[in-house]
C-alpha cells in the first residue's frame, strides 16, 4: 500500500505542474488558473463524504482498485486532449473535477485501512511514514515535471502520470481484502450525518479541521506559481517551486522521531500553522528566488508538523466504526482549503499583484489561526495521555490485540 501510494503521488505530481501551466498557456489568466480549485472542491466535498461512508460499508481494497483504474483513464484523457492540434480548455476543468471526485472516493478507504493495521501507539510514526511517501513523490515529481515539460512537452507529463497509475494498480492487487464489519452502517445520508455529528461534538477534533482549512486557504498559493516564476524572471525554477513545499515536509518526516515525545498535539497543530503563514509571508516579500524557495520549504516543514499531529489526533481518538466517515470529513478539510486557496490566490493576484497575493495570504493565515486558537481552548489543552477519547480507543485496541493473541495461541 505504501509503495503503490508513492508511485501514484509521483505521477500525480507531474500533472499538478502540467495542468495549471497548460491553462496558463491557453488563457493567460491568473483567475482561470485559480478556478481549478473551485472545480475540484465541489466534487471533493460530495464524493469525499460519500467515500467515507463507502469505506465503512464496503471492502476497502475493492474501492481502492476501482478508483485507481479510473484515475489512470483520466490521465489518458488529458494526454489525448494535449495531442490535439488545438487543445481545448474545458476538458482540463472536466478532468480536474472528475479526478477530485475519484480522489474523494478513494482516500477515506486508504486512510481507514492504514489505521486498521497499525498498532495504536505507532500511529504517529505511521502518519510520518504516510507523509514521507507523499513527500518523496511530491519532491521528485514536480522537479522532473519541470525538466519533462521544458524539453519534451506537456504530453509526456500526462503519459508518465498514466503509467504511474498502471504500476500503482498492479501493486494494489497485493492488498489483502478488507471487508466491512458485519454490523457496519449501510451507505446512507443518515450514516454520513452520524459521522458529521460526532465530529461536531468533539471540539478538539473540530479545531484540527478549521485550523487546517484556514492555514491552507490563506497560506497555499500554488495557483500563482507560474506567474510568480515569470515575475521573478526564473521560468526554469517553476518545478523547484512546486517541489519546495514537499521538500520541506520531507525534512520533517525524515527527522520526525521527536514527535513521539510531544503529547499536546493540538497546541503543536496551531503553532505549526502559524509558522506556515510566516514562512509564506517571507516567500512573498523577497525578489530572490533562493529566499522564495527557502520560505516555501519552511512552509512545507511547518505543514508537515501540523499534519503529523492532526492525523495522530484523528487516528488515536476516532472509534473504529466511524473511521471511514471521519476520514471522508478529514479529506474534505485537508484538500478543501488548498483548492479554495487556489481561487483566493488567483483572484487576489489579479487585484493586488502576484507577490502581494503570496505574502498577504501568509499574514492572513497567521492572524486567522491565532484567533481560532483563542476560540478553541479544547484544542489547545488536548493531551493524548489523558484525553478520554484517546484512552477509550487505546483500551479497545489493547483488547483486540489480546483476542488476536489468544486466537493465535
Amino acid at each position: 500500500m505504501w509503495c503503490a501510494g508513492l508511485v501514484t503521488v509521483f505521477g500525480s505530481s507531474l500533472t499538478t505542474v502540467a495542468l495549471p501551466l497548460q491553462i496558463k498557456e491557453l488563457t493567460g489568466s491568473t483567475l482561470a488558473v485559480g478556478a481549478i480549485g473551485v472545480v475540484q472542491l465541489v466534487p471533493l466535498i460530495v464524493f469525499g463524504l460519500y467515500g467515507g461512508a463507502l469505506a465503512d460499508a464496503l471492502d476497502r481494497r475493492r474501492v481502492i482498485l476501482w478508483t485507481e483504474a479510473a484515475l489512470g483513464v483520466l490521465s489518458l484523457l488529458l494526454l489525448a486532449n494535449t495531442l490535439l492540434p488545438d487543445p481545448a480548455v474545458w476538458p482540463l476543468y472536466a478532468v480536474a473535477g472528475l479526478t477530485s471526485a475519484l480522489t474523494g472516493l478513494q482516500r477515506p478507504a486508504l486512510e481507514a485501512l492504514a489505521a486498521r493495521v497499525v498498532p495504536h501507539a505507532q500511529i504517529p510514526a505511521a502518519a510520518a511514514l504516510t507523509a514521507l511517501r507523499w513527500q518523496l513523490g511530491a519532491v521528485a515529481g514536480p522537479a522532473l515535471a519541470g525538466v519533462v515539460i521544458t524539453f519534451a512537452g506537456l504530453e509526456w507529463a500526462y503519459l508518465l502520470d498514466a503509467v504511474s497509475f498502471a504500476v500503482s494498480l498492479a501493486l494494489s492487487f497485493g492488498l489483502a481484502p478488507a471487508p466491512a464489519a458485519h454490523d457496519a452502517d449501510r451507505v446512507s445520508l443518515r450514516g454520513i450525518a452520524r459521522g458529521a455529528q460526532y465530529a461536531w461534538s468533539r471540539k478538539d477534533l473540530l479545531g484540527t479541521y478549521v485550523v487546517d482549512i484556514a492555514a491552507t486557504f490563506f497560506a497555499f498559493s500554488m495557483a500563482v506559481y507560474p506567474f510568480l516564476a515569470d515575475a521573478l524572471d526564473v521560468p526554469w525554477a517553476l518545478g523547484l517551486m512546486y517541489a519546495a513545499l514537499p521538500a520541506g515536509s520531507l525534512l520533517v518526516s525524515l527527522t520526525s522521531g521527536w514527535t513521539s515525545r510531544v503529547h499536546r498535539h493540538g497546541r503543536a497543530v496551531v503553532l505549526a500553522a502559524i509558522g506556515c503563514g510566516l514562512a509564506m509571508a517571507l516567500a512573498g516579500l523577497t525578489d530572490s528566488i533562493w529566499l522564495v524557495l527557502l520560505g516555501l520549504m519552511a512552509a512545507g516543514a511547518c505543514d508537515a508538523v501540523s499534519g503529523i499531529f492532526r492525523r495522530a489526533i484523528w487516528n488515536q481518538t476516532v472509534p473504529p466504526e466511524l473511521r471511514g466517515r471521519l476520514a471522508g470529513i478529514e479529506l474534505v478539510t485537508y484538500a478543501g482549503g488548498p483548492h479554495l486557496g487556489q481561487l483566493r490566490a488567483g483572484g487576489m493576484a489579479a487585484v493586488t499583484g502576484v507577490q502581494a497575493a503570496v505574502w498577504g495570504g501568509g499574514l492572513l493565515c497567521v492572524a486567522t489561526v491565532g484567533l481560532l486558537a483563542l476560540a478553541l481552548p479544547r484544542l489547545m489543552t488536548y493531551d493524548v495521555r489523558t484525553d478520554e477519547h484517546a484512552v477509550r480507543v487505546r483500551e479497545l485496541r489493547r483488547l483486540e490485540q489480546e483476542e488476536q493473541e489468544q486466537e493465535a495461541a
Side-chain angles (χ1 to χ4, degrees):
M1 183 173 66
W2 191 90
C3 292
L6 174 62
V7 174
T8 296
V9 171
F10 175 80
S12 298
S13 297
L14 297 172
T15 298
T16 298
V17 177
L19 191 62
L21 181 60
Q22 188 172 21
I23 293 178
K24 170 185 175 288
E25 292 179 350
L26 294 174
T27 67
S29 168
T30 59
L31 194 58
V33 176
I36 299 176
V38 176
V39 171
Q40 293 174 318
L41 179 60
V42 174
L44 183 71
I45 292 174
V46 174
F47 288 92
L49 295 174
Y50 186 71
L54 284 179
D56 284 335
L58 301 179
D59 187 325
R60 291 163 184 165
R61 175 181 180 271
R62 185 175 300 176
V63 174
I64 293 168
L65 291 176
W66 279 105
T67 51
E68 195 75 1
L71 285 166
V73 172
L74 291 179
S75 295
L76 292 175
L77 292 177
L78 287 174
L79 173 62
N81 178 66
T82 304
L83 293 175
L84 294 175
D86 295 308
V89 175
W90 70 263
L92 304 181
Y93 289 109
V95 171
L98 290 172
T99 299
S100 186
L102 289 169
T103 301
L105 292 176
Q106 184 188 75
R107 272 285 295 277
L110 284 169
E111 294 288 344
L113 187 60
R116 180 173 178 173
V117 300
V118 176
H120 187 272
Q122 295 179 16
I123 284 177
L129 282 174
T130 300
L132 177 63
R133 176 194 66 192
W134 176 82
Q135 292 145 9
L136 287 172
V139 169
L144 177 62
V147 177
V148 170
I149 294 170
T150 300
F151 295 101
L154 290 163
E155 61 273 16
W156 279 94
Y158 295 137
L159 176 60
L160 290 174
D161 190 13
V163 171
S164 75
F165 279 116
V167 175
S168 177
L169 181 63
L171 290 171
S172 296
F173 274 103
L175 294 174
H182 68 278
D183 57 347
D185 291 342
R186 300 181 62 182
V187 178
S188 65
L189 291 176
R190 180 177 296 179
I192 295 173
R194 183 185 171 204
Q197 289 170 355
Y198 176 82
W200 181 260
S201 69
R202 292 270 314 278
K203 300 309 178 187
D204 51 347
L205 197 63
L206 185 65
T208 65
Y209 297 145
V210 295
V211 166
D212 185 40
I213 291 174
T216 53
F217 175 76
F218 288 114
F220 282 21
S221 303
M222 283 84 75
V224 300
Y225 285 0
F227 300 92
L228 183 59
D230 287 346
L232 299 176
D233 195 26
V234 287
W236 54 268
L238 179 59
L240 295 177
M241 291 169 66
Y242 279 104
L245 276 171
S249 299
L250 177 61
L251 292 176
V252 169
S253 294
L254 292 175
T255 58
S256 60
W258 61 270
T259 60
S260 63
R261 298 188 293 274
V262 177
H263 306 293
R264 296 186 178 275
H265 296 165
R267 187 172 299 177
V269 168
V270 169
L271 293 177
I274 290 175
C276 183
L278 291 173
M280 289 302 296
L282 168 65
L285 287 169
T286 179
D287 291 328
S288 167
I289 182 57
W290 304 112
L291 288 179
V292 169
L293 294 175
L294 178 62
L296 294 178
M297 287 184 64
C302 291
D303 184 60
V305 172
S306 176
I308 289 173
F309 291 116
R310 287 197 312 269
R311 289 189 178 89
I313 293 174
W314 296 335
N315 289 328
Q316 288 183 318
T317 64
V318 175
E321 67 274 11
L322 291 173
R323 192 158 286 147
R325 277 161 285 184
L326 269 293
I329 295 173
E330 176 266 327
L331 171 63
V332 171
T333 60
Y334 176 76
H339 288 319
L340 283 175
Q342 291 188 63
L343 181 63
R344 191 276 312 164
M348 193 170 174
V351 176
T352 66
V354 174
Q355 288 179 284
V358 178
W359 65 257
L363 295 181
L364 286 170
C365 167
V366 172
T368 305
V369 172
L371 291 174
L372 287 172
L374 294 176
L376 295 165
R378 291 292 298 273
L379 176 64
M380 297 298 290
T381 58
Y382 173 88
D383 190 322
V384 68
R385 296 168 296 185
T386 57
D387 179 77
E388 59 177 314
H389 304 285
V391 171
R392 186 180 302 118
V393 171
R394 186 160 55 242
E395 179 64 16
L396 179 61
R397 292 297 299 273
R398 185 186 66 80
L399 293 175
E400 289 177 350
Q401 184 176 357
E402 289 180 356
E403 290 178 1
Q404 292 172 357
E405 291 174 352
Q406 291 175 359
E407 291 176 359

